[in-house]
């Protein structure tokens, strides 16, 4: 994900807006490391930041998709798919990793010590934000 993000930032030539949107999308995704570390050190409770994180996800994803749409001359799957490779690896990798962690922990449920409501709910929220953003590109309003 990170290397593809760096390479994909300037994929749309002469479009600084997409470069900014790409940077913000990954900054949002990687901010979870800081949030998790601060939660681990008991400096804050990340559960309290869930909705703030999800609203930020929606806006950063919508901005990424709208910048992609404005930067492409023609919006087709063959034009969009190469730009999706980085985010697919980034988000697919982190979702897959979390599912593997859940598997290793025995799929904890709410109430278990090992259950993480933030991470569990975040999966569907990020997927929904990305899908809503895609509607901006492929559906003309």
């Amino acid at each position: 994900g990170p290397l593809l993000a760096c390479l994909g930032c300037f994929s749309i030539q002469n479009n600084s807006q997409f470069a900014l949107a790409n940077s913000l999308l990954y900054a949002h995704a990687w901010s979870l490391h800081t949030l998790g570390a601060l939660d681990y050190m008991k400096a804050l409770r990340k559960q309290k930041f869930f909705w703030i994180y999800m609203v930020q996800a929606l806006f950063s994803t919508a901005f990424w998709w709208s910048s992609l749409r404005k930067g492409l001359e023609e919006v087709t799957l063959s034009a969009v798919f190469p730009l999706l490779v980085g985010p697919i690896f980034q988000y697919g990798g982190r979702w897959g990793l979390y599912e593997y962690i859940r598997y290793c922990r025995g799929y904890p449920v709410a109430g278990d010590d090992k259950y993480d409501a933030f991470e569990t709910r975040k999966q569907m929220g990020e997927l929904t934000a990305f899908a809503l953003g895609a509607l901006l590109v492929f559906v003309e309003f």
Side-chain angles (χ1 to χ4, degrees):
L3 292 176
L4 291 171
C6 294
L7 295 174
C9 193
F10 298 103
S11 296
I12 301 177
Q13 304 256 324
N14 300 322
N15 188 332
S16 59
Q17 183 176 344
F18 181 73
L20 174 63
N22 209 45
S23 300
L24 289 174
L25 179 71
Y26 286 101
H28 165 74
W30 297 335
S31 72
L32 193 57
H33 294 291
T34 305
L35 201 56
L38 290 171
D39 183 63
Y40 179 77
M41 292 184 291
K42 308 288 187 231
L44 58 80
R45 288 194 54 228
K46 72 178 178 182
Q47 307 299 333
K48 291 184 177 184
F49 289 86
F50 177 77
W51 288 110
I52 295 168
Y53 183 84
M54 293 316 305
V55 167
Q56 185 184 37
L58 182 62
F59 283 114
S60 63
T61 304
F63 181 54
W64 187 85
W65 280 108
S66 69
S67 298
L68 183 141
R69 181 179 187 167
K70 290 175 185 173
L72 293 176
E73 293 174 12
E74 184 180 20
V75 179
T76 62
L77 189 56
S78 62
V80 172
F81 185 75
L83 300 171
L84 285 174
V85 171
I88 287 171
F89 274 88
Q90 171 65 40
Y91 286 98
R94 69 196 261 163
W95 296 335
L97 177 62
Y98 183 66
E99 287 305 312
Y100 181 71
I101 291 169
R102 288 184 65 217
Y103 164 77
C104 290
R105 291 180 169 185
Y107 292 105
V109 294
D112 290 348
D113 288 341
K114 297 177 182 177
Y115 181 74
D116 188 341
F118 183 99
E119 294 291 337
T120 303
R121 294 178 3 205
K122 174 187 69 85
Q123 308 287 34
M124 187 54 68
E126 286 179 335
L127 185 60
T128 302
F130 219 74
L132 288 174
L135 285 175
L136 290 173
V137 171
F138 292 109
V139 177
E140 301 254 350
F141 293 102

